[in-house]
Amino acid sequence: MLKIIWVILSIVLIGLIFLRTPQNQGLASFSTKSNLLGSPSSAEQFLNNLTIVLMLGYFSFAVFLNFSS
């Protein structure tokens, strides 16, 4: 059961990382970017937090499954 959760978690993480697109498109965007060091939007902040939580869960499952085998 834990291995199934671990596989699903890894697939969701891979999908989430691939769906996230970078904000800049190279050096040309530095001249047009107004909030270069500003805070990210609430949706981007939520995705950042979700990615961190899922990564911590993934690594926790990986360590647990490694020691239980």
Coordinates of all heavy atoms in Angstrom, one line a residue:
M1 N 0.8 -1.2 0.0 CA 0.0 0.0 0.0 C 0.9 1.3 0.0 O 0.6 2.2 -0.7 CB -0.9 0.0 1.2 CG -1.8 1.1 1.3 SD -3.0 1.1 0.0 CE -4.0 2.5 0.4
L2 N 1.9 1.2 0.8 CA 2.8 2.4 0.9 C 3.5 2.6 -0.4 O 3.8 3.8 -0.8 CB 3.8 2.3 2.0 CG 3.2 2.4 3.4 CD1 4.3 2.2 4.5 CD2 2.6 3.8 3.6
K3 N 3.9 1.5 -1.1 CA 4.6 1.7 -2.4 C 3.7 2.3 -3.5 O 4.1 3.0 -4.3 CB 5.1 0.3 -2.9 CG 6.3 -0.1 -2.1 CD 7.0 -1.3 -2.7 CE 8.2 -1.7 -1.8 NZ 8.9 -2.8 -2.4
I4 N 2.4 2.0 -3.4 CA 1.4 2.5 -4.3 C 1.3 4.0 -4.1 O 1.3 4.8 -5.0 CB 0.0 1.8 -4.2 CG1 0.2 0.4 -4.7 CG2 -1.0 2.6 -5.0 CD1 -1.1 -0.4 -4.4
I5 N 1.2 4.4 -2.8 CA 1.2 5.9 -2.5 C 2.4 6.6 -3.0 O 2.4 7.7 -3.5 CB 0.9 6.1 -1.0 CG1 -0.4 5.5 -0.6 CG2 1.1 7.5 -0.6 CD1 -0.7 5.5 0.9
W6 N 3.6 5.9 -2.8 CA 4.9 6.5 -3.2 C 4.9 6.7 -4.7 O 5.4 7.7 -5.2 CB 6.0 5.6 -2.7 CG 7.3 6.1 -2.9 CD1 7.9 7.2 -2.3 CD2 8.4 5.5 -3.6 NE1 9.2 7.3 -2.7 CE2 9.5 6.3 -3.5 CE3 8.5 4.3 -4.4 CZ2 10.7 6.0 -4.1 CZ3 9.7 4.0 -5.0 CH2 10.8 4.9 -4.9
V7 N 4.4 5.7 -5.5 CA 4.4 5.8 -6.9 C 3.5 6.9 -7.4 O 3.8 7.7 -8.2 CB 4.1 4.5 -7.6 CG1 3.8 4.6 -9.0 CG2 5.2 3.5 -7.3
I8 N 2.3 7.0 -6.8 CA 1.4 8.1 -7.1 C 2.0 9.4 -6.8 O 1.8 10.4 -7.6 CB 0.0 7.8 -6.4 CG1 -0.7 6.6 -7.0 CG2 -0.9 9.1 -6.6 CD1 -1.9 6.2 -6.3
L9 N 2.6 9.5 -5.7 CA 3.2 10.8 -5.2 C 4.3 11.2 -6.2 O 4.4 12.4 -6.5 CB 3.7 10.7 -3.8 CG 4.3 11.9 -3.1 CD1 3.2 12.9 -3.0 CD2 4.8 11.5 -1.8
S10 N 5.1 10.2 -6.7 CA 6.2 10.6 -7.6 C 5.6 11.0 -8.9 O 6.1 12.0 -9.6 CB 7.1 9.4 -7.8 OG 6.5 8.3 -8.4
I11 N 4.5 10.4 -9.4 CA 3.9 10.8 -10.7 C 3.3 12.2 -10.6 O 3.5 13.0 -11.5 CB 2.9 9.8 -11.1 CG1 3.5 8.5 -11.5 CG2 2.0 10.3 -12.2 CD1 2.6 7.3 -11.7
V12 N 2.7 12.5 -9.5 CA 2.1 13.8 -9.3 C 3.2 14.9 -9.2 O 3.1 16.0 -9.8 CB 1.3 13.9 -8.0 CG1 0.9 15.3 -7.6 CG2 0.0 13.0 -8.2
L13 N 4.3 14.6 -8.5 CA 5.5 15.5 -8.4 C 6.1 15.8 -9.8 O 6.4 16.9 -10.2 CB 6.5 14.9 -7.5 CG 6.5 15.5 -6.1 CD1 7.5 14.7 -5.3 CD2 6.8 16.9 -6.1
I14 N 6.3 14.7 -10.6 CA 6.8 14.9 -11.9 C 5.9 15.7 -12.8 O 6.3 16.7 -13.5 CB 7.1 13.5 -12.6 CG1 8.2 12.8 -11.9 CG2 7.4 13.6 -14.1 CD1 8.4 11.4 -12.3
G15 N 4.6 15.5 -12.7 CA 3.6 16.3 -13.5 C 3.6 17.7 -13.0 O 3.6 18.6 -13.9
L16 N 3.7 17.9 -11.8 CA 3.6 19.3 -11.2 C 4.9 20.1 -11.6 O 4.8 21.3 -12.0 CB 3.5 19.3 -9.7 CG 3.4 20.6 -9.0 CD1 2.1 21.3 -9.4 CD2 3.4 20.4 -7.5
I17 N 6.0 19.4 -11.6 CA 7.3 20.1 -12.0 C 7.3 20.4 -13.5 O 7.7 21.5 -13.9 CB 8.5 19.2 -11.5 CG1 8.6 19.3 -10.0 CG2 9.8 19.7 -12.2 CD1 9.6 18.3 -9.4
F18 N 6.8 19.5 -14.3 CA 6.8 19.7 -15.7 C 5.8 20.8 -16.2 O 5.9 21.5 -17.2 CB 6.5 18.4 -16.5 CG 7.8 17.6 -16.7 CD1 7.8 16.3 -16.5 CD2 8.9 18.2 -17.2 CE1 8.9 15.5 -16.7 CE2 10.1 17.4 -17.4 CZ 10.1 16.1 -17.1
L19 N 4.7 20.9 -15.4 CA 3.6 21.9 -15.8 C 4.0 23.3 -15.4 O 3.5 24.2 -16.0 CB 2.3 21.5 -15.1 CG 1.6 20.4 -15.7 CD1 0.3 20.1 -14.8 CD2 1.2 20.6 -17.1
R20 N 4.9 23.4 -14.4 CA 5.4 24.8 -14.0 C 6.3 25.3 -15.1 O 7.3 24.7 -15.4 CB 6.1 24.7 -12.7 CG 5.3 24.1 -11.6 CD 4.8 24.9 -10.5 NE 5.5 26.2 -10.3 CZ 6.2 26.5 -9.3 NH1 6.4 25.7 -8.3 NH2 6.7 27.7 -9.2
T21 N 6.0 26.5 -15.6 CA 6.8 27.1 -16.6 C 7.6 28.2 -15.9 O 7.1 28.9 -15.0 CB 6.0 27.7 -17.8 OG1 5.1 28.6 -17.2 CG2 5.3 26.6 -18.5
P22 N 8.8 28.5 -16.4 CA 9.6 29.6 -15.8 C 9.0 30.9 -16.1 O 8.4 31.1 -17.2 CB 11.0 29.4 -16.3 CG 10.8 28.6 -17.6 CD 9.6 27.8 -17.4
Q23 N 9.2 31.9 -15.3 CA 8.6 33.2 -15.5 C 9.4 34.0 -16.5 O 8.8 34.8 -17.2 CB 8.6 34.0 -14.2 CG 7.7 33.5 -13.1 CD 6.2 33.6 -13.5 OE1 5.8 34.5 -14.2 NE2 5.4 32.7 -13.1
N24 N 10.6 33.8 -16.7 CA 11.4 34.6 -17.6 C 11.7 33.7 -18.8 O 11.7 32.5 -18.8 CB 12.7 35.0 -17.0 CG 13.5 33.9 -16.4 OD1 13.2 32.8 -16.5 ND2 14.7 34.2 -15.8
Q25 N 12.0 34.4 -19.9 CA 12.3 33.8 -21.2 C 13.7 34.1 -21.6 O 13.9 34.4 -22.8 CB 11.3 34.1 -22.2 CG 9.9 33.8 -21.9 CD 9.7 32.3 -21.9 OE1 10.3 31.5 -22.6 NE2 8.9 31.8 -20.9
G26 N 14.6 34.2 -20.7 CA 16.0 34.5 -21.1 C 16.4 35.9 -20.6 O 15.7 36.6 -19.9
L27 N 17.4 36.4 -21.2 CA 17.9 37.7 -20.9 C 17.1 38.9 -21.4 O 17.1 40.0 -20.8 CB 19.4 37.9 -21.4 CG 20.4 37.0 -20.8 CD1 21.8 37.2 -21.4 CD2 20.5 37.3 -19.3
A28 N 16.3 38.6 -22.4 CA 15.4 39.7 -23.0 C 14.3 40.1 -22.0 O 13.8 41.2 -22.1 CB 14.8 39.2 -24.3
S29 N 14.0 39.2 -21.0 CA 12.9 39.5 -20.1 C 13.3 40.5 -19.0 O 12.5 41.0 -18.3 CB 12.3 38.3 -19.5 OG 13.2 37.7 -18.7
F30 N 14.6 40.7 -18.8 CA 15.1 41.5 -17.7 C 14.6 43.0 -17.9 O 14.3 43.7 -17.0 CB 16.6 41.5 -17.6 CG 17.1 40.3 -16.8 CD1 17.9 39.4 -17.5 CD2 16.6 40.0 -15.6 CE1 18.4 38.2 -16.8 CE2 17.1 38.8 -14.9 CZ 17.9 38.0 -15.5
S31 N 14.5 43.4 -19.2 CA 14.1 44.8 -19.4 C 12.6 44.9 -19.3 O 12.2 46.0 -19.0 CB 14.6 45.2 -20.8 OG 13.9 44.4 -21.8
T32 N 11.9 43.9 -19.5 CA 10.4 44.0 -19.4 C 9.8 43.5 -18.1 O 8.7 43.8 -17.8 CB 9.7 43.2 -20.5 OG1 10.1 41.8 -20.4 CG2 10.2 43.7 -21.9
K33 N 10.6 42.9 -17.2 CA 10.2 42.4 -16.0 C 10.1 43.6 -14.9 O 11.1 44.1 -14.6 CB 11.1 41.3 -15.5 CG 10.6 40.6 -14.3 CD 10.2 39.2 -14.6 CE 9.9 38.5 -13.3 NZ 8.9 37.6 -13.5
S34 N 8.9 43.9 -14.4 CA 8.8 45.0 -13.5 C 9.0 44.6 -12.1 O 9.6 45.3 -11.3 CB 7.4 45.6 -13.6 OG 6.4 44.7 -13.3
N35 N 8.6 43.3 -11.7 CA 8.8 42.9 -10.3 C 9.8 41.8 -10.2 O 9.4 40.7 -9.8 CB 7.4 42.5 -9.7 CG 6.8 41.4 -10.5 OD1 7.2 41.1 -11.6 ND2 5.7 40.9 -10.0
L36 N 11.0 42.0 -10.6 CA 12.0 41.0 -10.6 C 12.3 40.4 -9.3 O 12.4 39.2 -9.1 CB 13.3 41.6 -11.2 CG 14.5 40.6 -11.4 CD1 14.1 39.6 -12.4 CD2 15.7 41.3 -11.8
L37 N 12.3 41.2 -8.3 CA 12.6 40.7 -6.9 C 11.3 40.8 -6.0 O 11.4 40.6 -4.8 CB 13.7 41.5 -6.2 CG 15.1 41.3 -6.9 CD1 16.1 42.2 -6.3 CD2 15.5 39.9 -6.9
G38 N 10.2 41.0 -6.6 CA 8.9 41.1 -5.9 C 8.4 39.8 -5.4 O 9.0 38.7 -5.8
S39 N 7.4 39.8 -4.6 CA 6.9 38.5 -4.1 C 6.0 37.8 -5.2 O 5.4 38.5 -6.0 CB 6.0 38.8 -2.9 OG 4.9 39.6 -3.3
P40 N 6.0 36.5 -5.2 CA 5.2 35.8 -6.2 C 3.7 35.9 -5.9 O 3.3 36.2 -4.8 CB 5.7 34.4 -6.1 CG 6.3 34.3 -4.7 CD 6.8 35.6 -4.4
S41 N 3.0 35.7 -6.9 CA 1.5 35.7 -6.8 C 1.1 34.6 -5.8 O 1.8 33.7 -5.5 CB 0.8 35.6 -8.1 OG 1.0 34.3 -8.6
S42 N -0.2 34.7 -5.4 CA -0.7 33.7 -4.4 C -0.7 32.3 -5.0 O -0.5 31.3 -4.3 CB -2.0 34.1 -3.8 OG -3.0 34.2 -4.9
A43 N -1.1 32.2 -6.3 CA -1.2 30.9 -6.9 C 0.2 30.3 -7.0 O 0.4 29.1 -6.8 CB -1.8 31.0 -8.3
E44 N 1.2 31.1 -7.4 CA 2.6 30.6 -7.5 C 3.1 30.2 -6.1 O 3.8 29.2 -6.0 CB 3.5 31.7 -8.2 CG 4.9 31.2 -8.4 CD 5.7 32.2 -9.1 OE1 5.2 33.3 -9.5 OE2 6.9 32.0 -9.2
Q45 N 2.8 31.0 -5.1 CA 3.2 30.7 -3.8 C 2.6 29.4 -3.3 O 3.2 28.5 -2.7 CB 2.9 31.8 -2.8 CG 3.4 31.6 -1.4 CD 4.9 31.7 -1.4 OE1 5.6 32.4 -2.2 NE2 5.5 30.9 -0.6
F46 N 1.3 29.2 -3.6 CA 0.7 27.9 -3.3 C 1.3 26.7 -4.0 O 1.5 25.7 -3.4 CB -0.8 28.0 -3.7 CG -1.5 26.7 -3.5 CD1 -1.9 26.2 -2.3 CD2 -1.8 25.9 -4.6 CE1 -2.5 25.0 -2.1 CE2 -2.5 24.7 -4.5 CZ -2.8 24.2 -3.2
L47 N 1.7 26.9 -5.3 CA 2.3 25.8 -6.0 C 3.7 25.5 -5.4 O 4.2 24.4 -5.4 CB 2.4 26.1 -7.5 CG 1.1 26.0 -8.3 CD1 1.3 26.5 -9.7 CD2 0.6 24.6 -8.2
N48 N 4.4 26.6 -5.0 CA 5.7 26.4 -4.4 C 5.6 25.6 -3.1 O 6.4 24.6 -2.8 CB 6.4 27.7 -4.1 CG 6.9 28.4 -5.4 OD1 7.1 27.8 -6.4 ND2 7.1 29.7 -5.3
N49 N 4.6 26.0 -2.3 CA 4.4 25.3 -1.0 C 4.0 23.8 -1.2 O 4.4 22.9 -0.5 CB 3.4 26.0 -0.1 CG 3.9 27.3 0.3 OD1 5.1 27.5 0.4 ND2 3.0 28.2 0.7
L50 N 3.1 23.6 -2.2 CA 2.6 22.3 -2.5 C 3.8 21.4 -3.0 O 3.9 20.2 -2.6 CB 1.5 22.3 -3.6 CG 0.9 21.0 -4.0 CD1 0.2 20.3 -2.9 CD2 0.0 21.2 -5.2
T51 N 4.6 21.9 -3.8 CA 5.8 21.2 -4.3 C 6.7 20.8 -3.2 O 7.2 19.7 -3.1 CB 6.5 22.0 -5.4 OG1 5.6 22.4 -6.4 CG2 7.7 21.2 -6.0
I52 N 6.9 21.7 -2.3 CA 7.8 21.4 -1.1 C 7.2 20.4 -0.2 O 7.9 19.4 0.2 CB 8.1 22.7 -0.3 CG1 9.0 23.7 -1.1 CG2 8.7 22.4 1.0 CD1 9.1 25.1 -0.5
V53 N 5.9 20.4 0.0 CA 5.3 19.4 0.9 C 5.3 18.1 0.2 O 5.6 17.0 0.8 CB 3.8 19.9 1.2 CG1 3.0 18.7 1.8 CG2 3.8 21.1 2.1
L54 N 5.0 18.0 -1.1 CA 5.0 16.7 -1.8 C 6.5 16.2 -1.9 O 6.6 14.9 -1.8 CB 4.5 16.9 -3.2 CG 3.0 17.2 -3.3 CD1 2.5 17.4 -4.7 CD2 2.2 16.0 -2.7
M55 N 7.5 17.0 -2.0 CA 8.8 16.5 -2.1 C 9.2 15.9 -0.7 O 9.9 14.9 -0.6 CB 9.8 17.6 -2.5 CG 9.7 18.0 -4.0 SD 10.7 19.4 -4.4 CE 12.3 18.8 -4.0
L56 N 8.9 16.6 0.4 CA 9.2 16.1 1.7 C 8.5 14.8 1.9 O 9.0 13.8 2.5 CB 8.8 17.1 2.8 CG 9.6 18.4 2.8 CD1 9.0 19.4 3.8 CD2 11.1 18.0 3.2
G57 N 7.2 14.7 1.5 CA 6.5 13.4 1.6 C 7.1 12.3 0.8 O 7.3 11.2 1.3
Y58 N 7.6 12.6 -0.4 CA 8.2 11.7 -1.3 C 9.5 11.1 -0.6 O 9.7 9.9 -0.6 CB 8.5 12.3 -2.6 CG 9.3 11.4 -3.5 CD1 8.7 10.4 -4.3 CD2 10.7 11.5 -3.7 CE1 9.4 9.6 -5.1 CE2 11.4 10.7 -4.5 CZ 10.7 9.7 -5.3 OH 11.4 8.9 -6.1
F59 N 10.3 12.0 -0.1 CA 11.6 11.6 0.5 C 11.3 10.8 1.8 O 12.1 9.9 2.1 CB 12.5 12.8 0.8 CG 13.1 13.3 -0.5 CD1 13.0 14.7 -0.8 CD2 13.8 12.5 -1.4 CE1 13.6 15.2 -2.0 CE2 14.4 13.0 -2.5 CZ 14.2 14.3 -2.8
S60 N 10.3 11.2 2.5 CA 10.0 10.5 3.8 C 9.5 9.0 3.4 O 10.0 8.1 4.1 CB 8.8 11.2 4.5 OG 9.2 12.5 4.9
F61 N 8.7 8.9 2.4 CA 8.3 7.6 2.0 C 9.5 6.8 1.5 O 9.7 5.6 1.7 CB 7.3 7.6 0.9 CG 5.9 7.7 1.4 CD1 5.1 8.8 1.2 CD2 5.3 6.6 2.0 CE1 3.8 8.9 1.7 CE2 4.0 6.7 2.5 CZ 3.3 7.8 2.4
A62 N 10.4 7.4 0.7 CA 11.6 6.7 0.2 C 12.5 6.2 1.3 O 13.0 5.1 1.3 CB 12.4 7.7 -0.7
V63 N 12.7 7.1 2.4 CA 13.5 6.6 3.5 C 12.8 5.5 4.3 O 13.5 4.5 4.6 CB 13.8 7.8 4.4 CG1 14.5 7.4 5.7 CG2 14.8 8.8 3.7
F64 N 11.6 5.7 4.5 CA 10.8 4.6 5.2 C 10.8 3.3 4.5 O 11.0 2.3 5.1 CB 9.4 5.1 5.5 CG 8.6 4.1 6.2 CD1 8.8 3.9 7.6 CD2 7.6 3.3 5.6 CE1 8.0 3.0 8.3 CE2 6.9 2.4 6.3 CZ 7.1 2.2 7.6
L65 N 10.6 3.4 3.2 CA 10.6 2.1 2.4 C 12.0 1.5 2.3 O 12.1 0.3 2.2 CB 10.0 2.4 1.0 CG 8.5 2.7 1.0 CD1 8.0 3.1 -0.4 CD2 7.7 1.5 1.5
N66 N 13.0 2.3 2.3 CA 14.3 1.8 2.2 C 14.7 1.1 3.5 O 15.4 0.0 3.5 CB 15.3 3.0 2.0 CG 16.7 2.5 1.7 OD1 16.9 1.4 1.2 ND2 17.7 3.3 2.1
F67 N 14.3 1.6 4.7 CA 14.7 1.0 5.9 C 13.8 -0.2 6.3 O 14.1 -1.1 7.0 CB 14.7 2.0 7.1 CG 15.8 2.9 7.1 CD1 15.7 4.3 7.1 CD2 17.1 2.4 7.0 CE1 16.8 5.1 7.0 CE2 18.2 3.2 7.0 CZ 18.0 4.6 7.0
S68 N 12.6 -0.2 5.7 CA 11.6 -1.3 6.0 C 11.9 -2.6 5.2 O 11.4 -3.6 5.5 CB 10.2 -0.9 5.8 OG 9.9 -0.6 4.5
S69 N 12.7 -2.4 4.1 CA 12.9 -3.6 3.2 C 14.0 -4.5 3.8 O 14.9 -4.1 4.4 CB 13.3 -3.1 1.8 OG 12.3 -2.4 1.2

